[in-house]
Amino acid sequence: MCGIVGYLGPREAAPIILGGLKRLEYRGYDSAGLAVMSTGSDESPRIDIRRDVGKLQNLINLYNSDPVSGHYGIGHTRWATHGAPSQRNAHPHLGQTDQVVVVHNGIVENFVALKEELLAEGATFRSDTDTEVIANLVERHLATDVPLEEAVRQTLHQMKGANVIVAMTVREPGKIVAARMGNAGGVTVGIGDGEMFIASDMPAILEHTRRIVFLEPQWMTIVTRDGFRVQTFDGQPVTPEVHSVAWDMVAAEKGEYRHFMQKEIHEQARSITDTIGGRIDFATGQVTVPDLNLTPELARKIKRIVIVACGTAAHAGMVGKVLIESLARIPVEVDIASEFRYRDPLVDGGTVVLAISQSGETADTLAAMEEGRVKGATLWSIVNVIGSQAMRVANGYITMQSGPEIGVASTKAFTAPLVDLYLLAMKLGELRGTLDAARLKMLAADLARLPDLVGRTLDRETAVEAVAQRLRDVSHCLYLGRGINMPIAYEGALKLKEISYIHAEGYPAGEMKHGPIALVDKDMPVLVIATQDHWYEKMLSQVEQAKARGGVVIAIATDGDTLMVTKADYVLYVPQCPWLLSPVLTVLPLQLLAYHIAVLRGCDVDQPRNLAKSVTVE
């Protein structure tokens, strides 16, 4: 989580850092700060810090009223782990003698022991954070007359956990050291013309440079305005690949929409088009996924697939299970990544561990991938962020092609992997002989219609707004689905919880009689996904049972369904669609419903409380 930006060059550092932090505020927004290296009246360098609690705008206001000047600096937006959100706990943090300043993303697992050691040496602390321990340790090592990078290296060897550190010192002005320890959030180095940039995510610096280097775990970089060096934690030099990234920053602006979430919901027709583009021959049904490195031999070798993911990505994986088992006839399990990593799972060389992650930096998902690698599995990933860790460590990958997703509640990065999983299922079915040429062409034809169906569904936003008005003041909701749309019930409930703070539960409709039906009354709205598919008759029964107990029923139904309108209190229609692709449509009114309810309740839609976009710590 936490957003980090650094700058070295001829320009004033603070405006560049603040601009970068603005693009990373979705990674943490309980406080923010920056540190700039400036020159005092005696020409000696000093570190000027500005910090404030709350949204980034508070820091911007503070800077405007009390500016700092200098050409080297680092900044941070915080998502609290150690220490409550407050000005004293905001980053950056200084060492004991104000010679070192540090920003940090992660959790120092042994910080209590390290802090006790420092306290015994006479150190004092000005915050409740684990980060201040890092600053003091770096400063202590600097006292032995080693370079900053060596002081950081020695500090890293004392720490436990997954962490990113960025540090400066007055002893070496014009130098910034950044390090990535374990599967913490990413570190991106941007190469400019006589200037250099550091960020935890690319959007922070893409307006300044498109030449990017990604730090791998256990790497550190020493950056000056004229260039950079990369080393391992053991001091061995590394020559990383320099990527040329083409990512339109206009896509990260809200444009005509009130919130990023609303914009990203409406971008789904485009993102799905981009996801399909270049990957399927609609004339033959042949799918091309070159970066997956899927050969006929590997396809036949696969005994099972284990999908590992968290939150929304896990719900996408549940849909993927149905797709792959239906089309490729390969057994699929869906595992919550945070559980998979600790269960000593039964994985071997015949297993594919498929990770799904928007950011590609989710700590639990990366750890699950590592567990699979150690046990000999083939690693695949479906990711949105190009160059992310989940992409780089995998044996093969598929990119979502969604573009930047700024809203914390994921929308287009849910539907894009559904399409990726559909394509993957087709490819596996082709290579394993479970799909013949005629079926492949039919599946491809169905997919070709999908962007238009998505656009037509999103055009019905006004109808969703009307239902949102009815539900704006409820305290609880129950979402029901069956078969391939059961995960959509989970996802719809999650969206409502995330951004409106209404308690909601997703449930398999067939389990209603096993307990949840006891909750149904006039104060418990029931949202049912009842499109005309294999499970339609069963879902009609659920509607009737909820109505018999006084429940208010909102149904997601298929165009032309005249029966449902006589059963449910409210009906939100989606176009007719092949059942394998129906989750892409049925989730859209649920996304819009959660969005409009949250807006009506006055919630912070793009930055819901207690959440961050990328969960890079456990």
Side-chain angles (χ1 to χ4, degrees), residues 401-429:
Q401 301 296 325
S402 293
E405 188 178 67
I406 304 303
V408 167
S410 188
T411 52
K412 61 180 179 176
F414 174 71
T415 52
L418 299 185
V419 175
D420 289 324
L421 288 160
Y422 183 91
L423 291 167
L424 174 60
M426 286 181 64
K427 187 65 178 179
L428 287 168

Side-chain angles (χ1 to χ4, degrees), residues 95-220:
Q96 179 78 27
T97 62
D98 295 347
Q99 292 191 62
V100 170
V101 65
V102 168
V103 293
H104 166 223
N105 178 19
I107 296 174
V108 182
E109 294 179 3
N110 60 331
F111 99 99
V112 172
L114 293 172
K115 186 172 183 177
E116 289 176 351
E117 178 183 329
L118 289 163
L119 287 169
E121 295 176 359
T124 58
F125 287 80
R126 293 171 275 197
S127 78
D128 307 310
T129 68
D130 53 347
T131 307
E132 195 175 358
V133 168
I134 302 171
N136 278 319
L137 288 172
V138 173
E139 199 170 76
R140 183 176 70 175
H141 294 307
L142 272 179
T144 64
D145 291 326
V146 298
L148 177 61
E149 56 267 31
E150 180 59 29
V152 170
R153 182 179 291 111
Q154 291 179 26
T155 298
L156 293 167
H157 286 312
Q158 293 178 269
M159 294 165 50
K160 295 180 181 178
N163 297 276
V164 167
I165 300 169
V166 181
M168 298 191 307
T169 176
V170 295
R171 293 181 53 177
E172 297 179 76
K175 176 192 286 186
I176 297 178
V177 173
R180 182 178 186 184
M181 180 179 181
N183 287 321
V187 178
T188 300
V189 179
I191 305 167
D193 184 9
E195 57 186 358
M196 297 291 295
F197 307 85
I198 297 169
S200 49
D201 207 352
M202 286 191 297
I205 59 177
L206 282 183
E207 66 177 298
H208 304 294
T209 180
R210 301 300 173 91
R211 298 179 65 211
I212 300 293
V213 168
F214 302 104
L215 287 197
E216 300 289 345
Q218 316 309 115
W219 283 9
M220 62 190 303

Side-chain angles (χ1 to χ4, degrees), residues 518-600:
L519 297 171
V520 177
D521 60 17
K522 63 181 178 59
D523 297 318
M524 173 68 84
V526 181
L527 289 96
V528 298
I529 303 162
T531 49
Q532 290 177 327
D533 55 22
H534 312 329
W535 301 274
Y536 177 69
E537 298 294 336
K538 303 294 185 184
M539 293 307 302
L540 270 179
S541 174
Q542 297 299 329
V543 172
E544 291 172 339
Q545 291 179 50
K547 289 300 297 176
R549 287 156 180 82
V552 174
V553 175
I554 301 94
I556 309 298
T558 305
D559 279 347
D561 186 345
T562 56
L563 179 59
M564 186 60 70
V565 77
T566 69
K567 304 287 187 181
D569 297 277
Y570 304 93
V571 181
L572 297 172
Y573 288 103
V574 297
Q576 291 188 353
C577 178
W579 73 275
L580 287 169
L581 291 170
S582 65
V584 179
L585 300 189
T586 56
V587 76
L588 301 177
L590 300 183
Q591 292 173 348
L592 287 168
L593 185 65
Y595 169 77
H596 284 291
I597 290 173
V599 170
L600 290 167

Side-chain angles (χ1 to χ4, degrees), residues 254-292:
K254 277 184 261 196
E256 63 184 296
Y257 297 100
R258 184 173 176 183
H259 298 92
F260 278 114
M261 182 179 179
Q262 186 186 29
K263 174 177 180 282
E264 288 155 7
I265 290 172
H266 282 273
E267 287 178 335
Q268 287 174 103
R270 180 200 56 76
S271 68
I272 288 169
T273 301
D274 291 347
T275 297
I276 297 169
R279 290 175 170 164
I280 189 164
D281 183 337
F282 290 106
T284 65
Q286 298 293 308
V287 171
T288 302
V289 280
D291 295 321
L292 195 62

Side-chain angles (χ1 to χ4, degrees), residues 488-503:
I488 303 308
Y490 294 163
E491 177 61 13
L494 176 60
K495 285 292 155 285
L496 191 66
K497 283 184 280 195
E498 283 180 315
I499 63 172
S500 75
Y501 318 139
I502 294 173
H503 172 246

